[in-house]
Amino acid sequence: MEAAAYQDLRIFSGNAHPDLARAICSYLQTAFGACEVFEFSNENVFVRVQDNVRQRDVFIVQPLVSPVNTNIMELLIMIDAMKRASAGRVTAVVPYYAYGRSDKKDQPRVPITARLLANLIETAGADRLLTVDLHAGQIQGFFNIPVDELTALFMISRYFKDMDLKNLVVVATDIGASKRARNVAQSLNAPLAIIEKRRLDNDDESQVLNVIGEVEGMRALIVDDEIDTGTTIINAAETLKDRGVTDIYMACTHPVLSGSAAELLAAAPIKQLVVTDTIPISAEKHVPQIEVLSIAPLIGEAISRIHTGSSVGELFRMDPDLAASVPQTMARAERG
Ligand code: R5P
Protein backbone atom coordinates (compact mmCIF):
# COMPACT_ATOMS: atom_id res chain seq x y z
CA MET A 1 0.00 0.00 0.00
CA GLU A 2 1.16 3.52 -0.81
CA ALA A 3 1.49 6.08 2.00
CA ALA A 4 -1.66 8.08 2.79
CA ALA A 5 -1.65 11.53 1.18
CA TYR A 6 -3.80 12.95 4.00
CA GLN A 7 -3.78 12.50 7.76
CA ASP A 8 -5.97 9.80 9.27
CA LEU A 9 -9.14 8.63 7.72
CA ARG A 10 -12.45 9.52 9.40
CA ILE A 11 -15.85 8.06 8.54
CA PHE A 12 -19.02 10.00 9.38
CA SER A 13 -22.68 9.34 8.70
CA GLY A 14 -25.87 11.37 8.46
CA ASN A 15 -29.19 9.82 9.42
CA ALA A 16 -29.78 8.09 6.08
CA HIS A 17 -28.10 4.73 6.77
CA PRO A 18 -25.88 4.64 9.89
CA ASP A 19 -25.86 0.79 9.85
CA LEU A 20 -24.06 0.84 6.50
CA ALA A 21 -21.55 3.40 7.80
CA ARG A 22 -20.93 1.19 10.85
CA ALA A 23 -20.38 -1.86 8.62
CA ILE A 24 -17.89 0.15 6.53
CA CYS A 25 -16.07 1.21 9.73
CA SER A 26 -15.95 -2.39 10.83
CA TYR A 27 -14.44 -3.47 7.47
CA LEU A 28 -11.84 -0.70 7.83
CA GLN A 29 -11.38 -1.39 11.54
CA THR A 30 -11.78 2.27 12.28
CA ALA A 31 -13.95 4.17 14.76
CA PHE A 32 -17.23 5.74 13.72
CA GLY A 33 -16.82 9.56 13.65
CA ALA A 34 -18.81 11.54 16.20
CA CYS A 35 -21.18 14.09 14.73
CA GLU A 36 -24.60 15.40 15.74
CA VAL A 37 -27.09 15.70 12.87
CA PHE A 38 -30.65 16.66 13.76
CA GLU A 39 -33.59 18.83 12.79
CA PHE A 40 -34.86 21.73 14.88
CA SER A 41 -38.63 22.03 15.31
CA ASN A 42 -38.68 24.43 12.35
CA GLU A 43 -37.22 21.59 10.18
CA ASN A 44 -33.85 23.34 9.81
CA VAL A 45 -31.06 20.75 9.84
CA PHE A 46 -28.22 21.27 12.30
CA VAL A 47 -24.80 19.58 12.26
CA ARG A 48 -22.02 19.68 14.85
CA VAL A 49 -18.83 17.70 14.25
CA GLN A 50 -17.61 16.38 17.58
CA ASP A 51 -14.23 15.01 16.45
CA ASN A 52 -11.22 17.04 15.36
CA VAL A 53 -11.14 16.76 11.55
CA ARG A 54 -8.41 19.34 10.86
CA GLN A 55 -6.38 18.07 7.87
CA ARG A 56 -8.13 14.68 8.15
CA ASP A 57 -9.32 12.60 5.18
CA VAL A 58 -13.08 12.70 5.78
CA PHE A 59 -15.66 10.35 4.22
CA ILE A 60 -19.37 11.11 4.73
CA VAL A 61 -21.63 8.10 4.14
CA GLN A 62 -25.09 9.22 3.07
CA PRO A 63 -27.21 7.35 0.49
CA LEU A 64 -29.93 9.71 -0.78
CA VAL A 65 -32.85 7.59 0.40
CA SER A 66 -36.22 8.42 1.96
CA PRO A 67 -36.74 11.13 3.20
CA VAL A 68 -34.72 12.03 0.10
CA ASN A 69 -34.72 15.82 0.29
CA THR A 70 -33.90 15.90 4.00
CA ASN A 71 -31.04 13.46 3.45
CA ILE A 72 -29.70 15.64 0.64
CA MET A 73 -29.71 18.68 2.93
CA GLU A 74 -28.00 16.66 5.69
CA LEU A 75 -25.25 15.68 3.26
CA LEU A 76 -24.72 19.24 2.00
CA ILE A 77 -24.68 20.70 5.50
CA MET A 78 -22.29 18.00 6.76
CA ILE A 79 -19.89 18.74 3.89
CA ASP A 80 -20.05 22.44 4.74
CA ALA A 81 -19.42 21.74 8.44
CA MET A 82 -16.39 19.53 7.62
CA LYS A 83 -14.86 22.15 5.31
CA ARG A 84 -15.35 24.90 7.89
CA ALA A 85 -13.72 22.61 10.46
CA SER A 86 -10.64 22.49 8.18
CA ALA A 87 -10.95 18.90 6.96
CA GLY A 88 -8.08 18.13 4.57
CA ARG A 89 -10.30 16.42 2.02
CA VAL A 90 -14.01 15.52 2.00
CA THR A 91 -15.39 12.60 0.01
CA ALA A 92 -19.18 12.29 -0.29
CA VAL A 93 -19.94 8.56 -0.16
CA VAL A 94 -23.35 8.31 -1.81
CA PRO A 95 -24.13 4.62 -2.40
CA TYR A 96 -27.53 5.55 -3.87
CA TYR A 97 -27.69 8.76 -5.94
CA ALA A 98 -31.26 10.13 -5.98
CA TYR A 99 -32.74 11.97 -8.97
CA GLY A 100 -30.62 9.78 -11.25
CA ARG A 101 -33.58 9.34 -13.60
CA SER A 102 -33.78 13.14 -14.14
CA ASP A 103 -30.59 13.07 -16.19
CA LYS A 104 -31.70 14.69 -19.45
CA LYS A 105 -34.16 17.19 -20.85
CA ASP A 106 -36.41 14.64 -22.53
CA GLN A 107 -39.57 16.79 -22.46
CA PRO A 108 -40.02 20.54 -22.89
CA ARG A 109 -39.55 22.70 -19.78
CA VAL A 110 -38.20 20.02 -17.43
CA PRO A 111 -35.12 20.23 -15.18
CA ILE A 112 -31.97 18.08 -15.15
CA THR A 113 -32.05 17.48 -11.43
CA ALA A 114 -29.21 14.92 -11.40
CA ARG A 115 -26.96 17.72 -12.67
CA LEU A 116 -28.34 20.27 -10.18
CA LEU A 117 -27.63 17.83 -7.35
CA ALA A 118 -24.05 17.40 -8.60
CA ASN A 119 -23.62 21.19 -8.56
CA LEU A 120 -24.97 21.37 -5.01
CA ILE A 121 -22.60 18.66 -3.73
CA GLU A 122 -19.63 20.42 -5.34
CA THR A 123 -20.67 23.87 -4.14
CA ALA A 124 -21.02 22.54 -0.59
CA GLY A 125 -17.30 21.69 -0.83
CA ALA A 126 -16.96 17.96 -1.61
CA ASP A 127 -13.59 17.07 -3.11
CA ARG A 128 -14.65 13.67 -4.46
CA LEU A 129 -17.71 11.46 -4.90
CA LEU A 130 -17.81 7.72 -4.29
CA THR A 131 -20.99 6.04 -5.51
CA VAL A 132 -22.44 2.72 -6.64
CA ASP A 133 -24.28 1.86 -9.88
CA LEU A 134 -25.54 5.25 -11.04
CA HIS A 135 -28.74 5.08 -13.05
CA ALA A 136 -26.70 6.36 -16.02
CA GLY A 137 -22.90 6.37 -16.04
CA GLN A 138 -22.93 9.78 -17.76
CA ILE A 139 -24.00 11.37 -14.45
CA GLN A 140 -20.29 11.16 -13.56
CA GLY A 141 -19.77 13.92 -16.12
CA PHE A 142 -22.10 16.26 -14.19
CA PHE A 143 -19.29 16.60 -11.64
CA ASN A 144 -16.04 18.55 -12.02
CA ILE A 145 -14.53 16.62 -9.11
CA PRO A 146 -13.31 12.99 -9.36
CA VAL A 147 -16.11 10.40 -9.23
CA ASP A 148 -15.50 6.74 -8.43
CA GLU A 149 -18.48 4.62 -9.45
CA LEU A 150 -18.41 1.10 -8.07
CA THR A 151 -20.66 -1.69 -9.28
CA ALA A 152 -22.42 -4.32 -7.20
CA LEU A 153 -23.35 -6.40 -10.21
CA PHE A 154 -20.31 -8.65 -10.16
CA MET A 155 -20.81 -9.40 -6.48
CA ILE A 156 -24.43 -10.26 -7.35
CA SER A 157 -23.27 -12.36 -10.33
CA ARG A 158 -21.01 -14.32 -8.04
CA TYR A 159 -23.96 -15.10 -5.81
CA PHE A 160 -25.84 -16.55 -8.79
CA LYS A 161 -22.73 -18.31 -10.06
CA ASP A 162 -22.59 -20.16 -6.74
CA MET A 163 -26.25 -21.18 -7.17
CA ASP A 164 -25.26 -22.82 -10.45
CA LEU A 165 -28.70 -22.42 -12.06
CA LYS A 166 -28.97 -24.49 -15.23
CA ASN A 167 -30.66 -23.36 -18.43
CA LEU A 168 -30.47 -19.69 -17.41
CA VAL A 169 -31.18 -16.59 -19.49
CA VAL A 170 -30.34 -13.11 -18.17
CA VAL A 171 -33.07 -10.57 -18.94
CA ALA A 172 -32.67 -6.77 -19.10
CA THR A 173 -35.81 -4.89 -18.03
CA ASP A 174 -35.37 -2.40 -20.85
CA ILE A 175 -32.93 -1.40 -23.54
CA GLY A 176 -31.23 1.05 -21.12
CA ALA A 177 -30.49 -1.80 -18.70
CA SER A 178 -29.08 -4.07 -21.40
CA LYS A 179 -25.38 -3.18 -20.88
CA ARG A 180 -25.59 -4.04 -17.19
CA ALA A 181 -27.48 -7.26 -17.96
CA ARG A 182 -24.97 -8.16 -20.66
CA ASN A 183 -22.11 -7.92 -18.15
CA VAL A 184 -23.98 -10.21 -15.76
CA ALA A 185 -24.84 -12.64 -18.61
CA GLN A 186 -21.19 -12.69 -19.66
CA SER A 187 -19.94 -13.49 -16.17
CA LEU A 188 -22.57 -16.24 -15.78
CA ASN A 189 -21.92 -17.57 -19.25
CA ALA A 190 -25.63 -17.25 -20.05
CA PRO A 191 -27.51 -15.80 -23.04
CA LEU A 192 -29.18 -12.38 -22.88
CA ALA A 193 -32.78 -11.35 -23.59
CA ILE A 194 -34.12 -7.79 -23.53
CA ILE A 195 -37.58 -6.52 -22.65
CA GLU A 196 -38.82 -3.61 -24.69
CA LYS A 197 -40.51 -1.31 -22.16
CA ARG A 198 -42.39 1.93 -22.61
CA ARG A 199 -43.25 4.49 -19.91
CA LEU A 200 -46.68 5.92 -20.59
CA ASP A 201 -46.28 9.28 -18.83
CA ASN A 202 -44.55 10.88 -15.87
CA ASP A 203 -46.46 8.56 -13.54
CA ASP A 204 -44.95 5.26 -12.44
CA GLU A 205 -46.76 3.13 -15.05
CA SER A 206 -44.71 1.14 -17.56
CA GLN A 207 -45.79 -1.26 -20.29
CA VAL A 208 -44.02 -4.27 -21.82
CA LEU A 209 -44.07 -4.15 -25.63
CA ASN A 210 -41.97 -7.14 -26.58
CA VAL A 211 -39.34 -9.66 -25.42
CA ILE A 212 -36.25 -9.83 -27.63
CA GLY A 213 -34.49 -13.22 -27.42
CA GLU A 214 -35.25 -16.86 -26.50
CA VAL A 215 -36.79 -17.41 -23.06
CA GLU A 216 -39.27 -20.27 -23.40
CA GLY A 217 -38.65 -23.24 -21.08
CA MET A 218 -35.72 -21.40 -19.39
CA ARG A 219 -35.00 -19.94 -15.97
CA ALA A 220 -34.75 -16.15 -16.08
CA LEU A 221 -32.58 -13.78 -14.05
CA ILE A 222 -33.97 -10.25 -14.45
CA VAL A 223 -31.37 -7.50 -13.92
CA ASP A 224 -32.00 -3.82 -13.21
CA ASP A 225 -30.30 -0.99 -11.33
CA GLU A 226 -33.20 -0.33 -8.95
CA ILE A 227 -36.69 -1.39 -7.96
CA ASP A 228 -38.78 1.66 -7.20
CA THR A 229 -42.54 1.04 -7.35
CA GLY A 230 -41.92 -2.51 -8.59
CA THR A 231 -44.05 -2.13 -11.73
CA THR A 232 -41.16 -2.68 -14.15
CA ILE A 233 -40.05 -5.92 -12.56
CA ILE A 234 -43.54 -7.24 -11.91
CA ASN A 235 -44.63 -6.56 -15.51
CA ALA A 236 -41.42 -8.21 -16.68
CA ALA A 237 -41.99 -11.27 -14.47
CA GLU A 238 -45.59 -11.67 -15.63
CA THR A 239 -44.62 -11.33 -19.30
CA LEU A 240 -41.83 -13.88 -18.90
CA LYS A 241 -44.25 -16.32 -17.23
CA ASP A 242 -46.61 -15.89 -20.19
CA ARG A 243 -43.69 -16.63 -22.53
CA GLY A 244 -43.06 -19.98 -20.82
CA VAL A 245 -40.23 -19.13 -18.38
CA THR A 246 -40.06 -21.75 -15.62
CA ASP A 247 -38.49 -19.88 -12.65
CA ILE A 248 -37.86 -16.18 -12.21
CA TYR A 249 -34.99 -14.64 -10.21
CA MET A 250 -34.30 -10.94 -9.91
CA ALA A 251 -31.16 -8.95 -9.14
CA CYS A 252 -30.79 -5.24 -8.57
CA THR A 253 -28.40 -2.98 -6.70
CA HIS A 254 -30.81 -0.49 -5.11
CA PRO A 255 -34.01 -1.68 -3.34
CA VAL A 256 -35.87 1.66 -3.26
CA LEU A 257 -39.18 -0.21 -2.69
CA SER A 258 -41.40 2.85 -2.57
CA GLY A 259 -45.17 2.78 -1.93
CA SER A 260 -46.59 -0.74 -1.96
CA ALA A 261 -43.68 -2.25 -3.95
CA ALA A 262 -42.85 -4.78 -1.22
CA GLU A 263 -46.44 -6.07 -1.02
CA LEU A 264 -46.64 -6.39 -4.81
CA LEU A 265 -43.31 -8.22 -4.98
CA ALA A 266 -44.31 -10.65 -2.24
CA ALA A 267 -47.27 -11.70 -4.41
CA ALA A 268 -45.34 -11.75 -7.71
CA PRO A 269 -44.07 -14.92 -9.44
CA ILE A 270 -40.48 -14.31 -8.32
CA LYS A 271 -38.47 -17.09 -6.63
CA GLN A 272 -35.69 -14.92 -5.28
CA LEU A 273 -34.81 -11.24 -5.25
CA VAL A 274 -31.15 -10.38 -4.63
CA VAL A 275 -30.36 -6.78 -3.69
CA THR A 276 -27.69 -4.88 -1.75
CA ASP A 277 -27.86 -2.69 1.34
CA THR A 278 -27.11 0.61 -0.45
CA ILE A 279 -30.61 1.43 0.84
CA PRO A 280 -31.91 0.34 4.27
CA ILE A 281 -34.90 -2.04 4.12
CA SER A 282 -37.38 -1.73 6.97
CA ALA A 283 -38.75 -4.93 8.54
CA GLU A 284 -42.16 -4.55 6.86
CA LYS A 285 -40.50 -4.32 3.42
CA HIS A 286 -38.43 -7.43 4.00
CA VAL A 287 -40.35 -9.67 1.58
CA PRO A 288 -39.81 -13.44 1.97
CA GLN A 289 -37.96 -13.81 -1.36
CA ILE A 290 -35.40 -11.08 -0.59
CA GLU A 291 -31.68 -11.75 -0.02
CA VAL A 292 -29.59 -8.71 0.93
CA LEU A 293 -25.85 -8.70 0.13
CA SER A 294 -23.68 -6.17 1.93
CA ILE A 295 -22.01 -3.49 -0.16
CA ALA A 296 -19.91 -2.42 2.88
CA PRO A 297 -16.73 -4.40 2.01
CA LEU A 298 -16.68 -3.04 -1.55
CA ILE A 299 -17.15 0.55 -0.36
CA GLY A 300 -14.70 0.00 2.52
CA GLU A 301 -12.05 -1.30 0.14
CA ALA A 302 -12.57 1.67 -2.21
CA ILE A 303 -12.29 4.12 0.72
CA SER A 304 -9.07 2.47 1.84
CA ARG A 305 -7.64 2.76 -1.69
CA ILE A 306 -8.73 6.39 -2.10
CA HIS A 307 -7.13 7.20 1.25
CA THR A 308 -3.81 5.55 0.42
CA GLY A 309 -3.76 6.80 -3.16
CA SER A 310 -3.86 3.30 -4.64
CA SER A 311 -5.89 2.25 -7.64
CA VAL A 312 -9.66 1.98 -7.31
CA GLY A 313 -9.81 0.82 -10.94
CA GLU A 314 -8.04 -2.40 -9.93
CA LEU A 315 -11.24 -3.33 -8.10
CA PHE A 316 -12.78 -3.68 -11.55
CA ARG A 317 -9.98 -5.56 -13.23
CA MET A 318 -9.78 -8.62 -11.02
CA ASP A 319 -9.80 -11.99 -12.69
CA PRO A 320 -13.35 -13.36 -12.15
CA ASP A 321 -12.12 -16.72 -10.80
CA LEU A 322 -9.80 -15.02 -8.39
CA ALA A 323 -12.65 -12.68 -7.48
CA ALA A 324 -14.76 -15.67 -6.48
CA SER A 325 -12.16 -16.75 -3.96
CA VAL A 326 -11.70 -13.48 -2.06
CA PRO A 327 -14.12 -11.47 0.10
CA GLN A 328 -16.84 -9.40 -1.51
CA THR A 329 -14.36 -6.60 -2.14
CA MET A 330 -13.01 -7.84 -5.42
CA ALA A 331 -15.85 -7.54 -7.87
CA ARG A 332 -14.98 -7.33 -11.54
CA ALA A 333 -16.67 -4.85 -13.80
CA GLU A 334 -16.50 -4.37 -17.51
CA ARG A 335 -17.46 -1.01 -18.87
CA GLY A 336 -18.22 -0.31 -22.44
C1 R5P B 1 -35.60 2.68 -15.14
O1 R5P B 1 -35.12 3.10 -16.17
C2 R5P B 1 -34.84 1.91 -14.11
O2 R5P B 1 -33.77 1.20 -14.65
C3 R5P B 1 -35.77 0.97 -13.37
O3 R5P B 1 -36.32 0.05 -14.30
C4 R5P B 1 -36.87 1.73 -12.72
O4 R5P B 1 -36.32 2.71 -11.89
C5 R5P B 1 -37.77 0.83 -11.90
O5 R5P B 1 -38.85 1.59 -11.48
P1 R5P B 1 -40.22 0.92 -11.04
O6 R5P B 1 -39.87 -0.14 -10.03
O7 R5P B 1 -41.02 2.05 -10.44
O8 R5P B 1 -40.89 0.38 -12.26
Side-chain angles (χ1 to χ4, degrees), residues 221-234:
L221 168 59
I222 307 175
V223 173
D224 209 346
D225 57 330
E226 66 175 43
I227 302 176
D228 181 3
T229 61
T231 48
T232 299
I233 155 90
I234 288 162

Side-chain angles (χ1 to χ4, degrees), residues 319-332:
D319 177 88
D321 295 326
L322 182 57
S325 65
V326 294
Q328 287 179 0
T329 55
M330 300 300 170
R332 171 177 180 257

